[in-house]
Structures are given as C-alpha cells and as structure tokens.
C-alpha cells in the first residue's frame, strides 16, 4: 500500500500571502490529522477530519483552516501568512474505525518557509 | 489538558548496547493510548510502538519494548541491541480515549556511537 503523500514538499511564500497544502491518506483510511512542527514549539495538533467533517481542532488562530473531500484527501489552508508560520506541516492518516486514536501514519511533510 | 514530558533532550549509546528513553505524562482520563514515534533526520515519522492504558502487559516490538507504569504516569522506551539505524528523534505521544489529536513530547535526540 502506498503511504501518506503530501504535496508540495517544499514551499516558499511571502508574508501576507495564503497557502494550500494537500494530503492523500493511505488507501482505506478515513481520518486525516494535521500537525505543525517547529523547533521551538515542537509538534502541535492543528485539526482532524473524518468523513469530511472536522472532529477536533487545536489551539490555532482562524487563519488555519482545512477540509476533507469524499475520497478522504485533505487540504489545509493558511491565510495571511506570518513569519511564525514557517514550519514543517505534517499530515497523518488513520483508520478511525471506531473510538480512540488509532495509530496515525505520517506523511513526509511540507516544509513551509515564510519570508 | 494533557501534557507529555521527555526530560532527556539528547541521549548517546554505543552500538549494540541498550538504552532507555524516558517519558512522563499528565492526564485525568482513565482510557487513553500512548505511542513512541521515531523521526530520522529529514525523513518521515514512523510509529515504533503503541500501548493501551487498559492493558497491564507492556508492549514489545522486536528490539523495542516499553515500561508502562500507569500509576506513576510513566512510559519509557527501551531499545535493545542498538543499531546505527536507530539514530533519530524519538517522540512520546499521548492519545485520549475520544477523537482527539495526539499530544507530543519535545523529543529525545538519540545518537548511536559506532
């Protein structure tokens, strides 16, 4: 089975712009979670989607949003980019066949640099 | 809110020796999951091992095993017969019983000395 894929792998944007990142989960996985990884804050949970619905959201401003499509692919969007948004954005997928945080399988990440 | 603490920013071990990485967590939940993830340099995060809180038996995956002490809220990872390929950042993560995201520790950088 193919793993979690994320596009693009690298991105450079300017302050004030917006960006859209894409994630394709493992085939059969219906849950997609997004995380932000920075040297200072470590790994922080952004949000989780299951069956096209946002199930949970971390403590991030409204500039961070996401969605999930019927094929379980997910996108996250960051509007009005700030320098502090520079980070590695990780997507993770899981079966989510029932309750509980089933094992999450991570993609390679998108390295976003804001200048 | 749950917190996960990894008190060892960096650990070094000789190849073929055993090393233990520490993790403590804080939660008021009784039903939860704990994970160890490995992130090699410039490579993606890999799940190493998982432990359900309701299971008393410690999880084991080949050379990797955990020491889960629920009352002490401790979840350490033991790596036996360390190999050069084990060099990576290791993250301890907590998952609540509901549909929550994972809470990660700051990570431990493991160095394997040949």
């Amino acid at each position: 089975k193919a793993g979690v894929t994320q596009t693009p792998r690298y991105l450079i944007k300017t302050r004030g712009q917006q960006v859209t990142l894409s994630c394709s989960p493992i085939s059969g996985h219906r849950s997609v979670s997004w995380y932000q990884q920075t040297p200072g804050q470590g790994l922080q949970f952004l949000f989780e989607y299951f069956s096209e619905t946002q199930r949970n959201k971390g403590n991030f401003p409204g500039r961070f949003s996401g969605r999930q499509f019927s094929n379980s692919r997910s996108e996250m969007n960051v509007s009005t980019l700030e320098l502090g948004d520079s980070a590695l954005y990780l997507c993770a997928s899981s079966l989510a066949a029932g309750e509980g945080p089933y094992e999450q399988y991570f993609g390679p990440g998108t390295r976003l640099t804001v200048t | 809110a749950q917190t996960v603490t990894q008190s060892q920013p960096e650990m070094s071990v000789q190849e073929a020796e055993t090393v233990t990485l520490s993790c403590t967590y804080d939660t008021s939940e009784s039903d939860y999951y704990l994970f160890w993830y490995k992130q090699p340099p410039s490579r993606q995060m890999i799940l190493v091992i998982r432990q359900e809180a309701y299971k008393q038996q410690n999880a084991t995956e080949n050379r990797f095993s955990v020491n889960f002490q629920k009352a002490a809220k401790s979840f350490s990872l033991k790596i036996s017969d360390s190999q050069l390929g084990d060099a990576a950042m290791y993250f301890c993560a907590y998952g609540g019983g509901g549909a929550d995201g994972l809470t990660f520790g700051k990570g431990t950088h493991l160095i394997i000395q040949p």
Side-chain angles (χ1 to χ4, degrees):
Chain A
K1 262 186 185 179
V4 178
T5 58
Q6 292 186 245
T7 57
R9 293 291 312 278
Y10 302 91
L11 207 48
I12 300 175
K13 289 287 188 178
T14 304
R15 270 180 301 176
Q17 289 185 316
Q18 75 167 14
V19 66
T20 299
L21 312 181
S22 180
C23 171
S24 292
I26 292 171
S27 178
H29 285 194
R30 296 168 62 194
S31 171
V32 173
S33 298
W34 288 89
Y35 295 85
Q36 181 195 66
Q37 185 176 24
T38 60
Q41 299 298 317
L43 281 147
Q44 293 184 286
F45 171 70
L46 280 156
F47 27 65
E48 181 196 6
Y49 285 88
F50 177 75
S51 292
E52 303 178 63
T53 300
Q54 187 181 89
R55 288 207 297 185
N56 217 339
K57 191 178 194 301
N59 189 24
F60 278 83
R63 300 185 298 106
F64 291 82
S65 63
R67 60 177 176 168
Q68 187 180 34
F69 302 95
S70 58
N71 61 358
S72 294
R73 190 177 70 86
S74 176
E75 288 181 347
M76 68 162 280
N77 183 276
V78 188
S79 62
T80 319
L81 284 165
E82 300 177 359
L83 294 178
D85 297 333
S86 294
L88 180 66
Y89 289 88
L90 295 170
C91 166
S93 76
S94 64
L95 276 171
E99 293 301 319
Y102 286 80
E103 293 96 291
Q104 297 192 4
Y105 296 87
F106 285 80
T110 294
R111 172 74 62 185
L112 172 65
T113 302
V114 182
T115 62
Chain B
Q2 295 80 21
T3 59
V4 177
T5 302
Q6 293 180 248
S7 59
Q8 306 152 316
E10 187 172 279
M11 292 280 286
S12 182
V13 65
Q14 291 290 129
E15 195 176 1
E17 292 188 345
T18 295
V19 63
T20 298
L21 309 184
S22 301
C23 172
T24 58
Y25 58 95
D26 188 26
T27 183
S28 57
E29 296 178 320
S30 57
D31 182 24
Y32 52 87
Y33 302 76
L34 296 164
F35 305 88
W36 278 98
Y37 281 89
K38 167 186 176 181
Q39 188 177 39
S42 302
R43 294 181 63 186
Q44 64 197 77
M45 195 93 72
I46 302 164
L47 176 65
V48 175
I49 201 164
R50 155 195 167 135
Q51 174 80 43
E52 291 91 338
Y54 65 86
K55 289 187 178 179
Q56 292 186 338
Q57 187 172 6
N58 290 323
T60 300
E61 287 288 341
N62 301 314
R63 298 182 296 106
F64 299 87
S65 62
V66 298
N67 183 4
F68 174 48
Q69 302 289 327
K70 190 172 184 179
K73 295 180 182 173
S74 170
F75 182 60
S76 60
L77 174 70
K78 185 171 84 170
I79 306 174
S80 303
D81 185 26
S82 297
Q83 300 174 1
L84 294 177
D86 295 334
M89 282 293 290
Y90 285 81
F91 294 95
C92 178
Y94 171 100
D100 297 324
L102 296 178
T103 301
F104 285 86
K106 294 292 189 185
T108 296
H109 181 211
L110 179 63
I111 299 167
I112 310 295
Q113 305 278 6

